[in-house]
Amino acid sequence: MYSREHFVIGAAVSGLLLVPLSDRFSTPLLAVLFTYGVLLSVFVDLDHFVLTRFRTGDWHHLRACLADPPAAFGDQDWVFEDIDDMEHERILSHVLLGGLLVGGLAVLSPAVAVFTAVVLYFHVLADLLRDNGFA
């Protein structure tokens, strides 16, 4: 799924999650939490560059995106076009990283850990829907 789509999903999910948290956190903290959710939904995909590094032995995918950020976020079809069958590794990586992040946050703030888990759940769900031809 494209970053712009994850941005929209992350914004929608984060916004909805703020409703039950509005009695627990101040308005500035809710704004920070919303921003965190949107950024998390988009930037969790940076793990793809680590996966392609293991597959190819170099960082050329990351370097290409850093050389042209608007294209990297706007038209992403070219980014990993030479890498086949990475769907399972992508989802596995998201689940492993998400589990570690949620587990660590559970110690600091159970509410933020649940927020993080739900945002990541919808990110992974969107990826799975796209990978399986439903979106």
Side-chain angles (χ1 to χ4, degrees), residues 74-88:
D75 178 25
Q76 298 174 322
D77 288 333
W78 60 271
V79 176
F80 300 112
E81 68 185 356
D82 60 330
I83 303 291
D84 293 324
D85 301 325
M86 199 170 72
E87 289 85 10
H88 294 101

Side-chain angles (χ1 to χ4, degrees), residues 3-21:
S3 294
R4 62 183 178 268
E5 295 167 314
H6 281 305
F7 179 90
V8 171
I9 292 167
V13 170
S14 296
L16 289 171
L17 288 173
L18 295 184
V19 174
L21 295 175

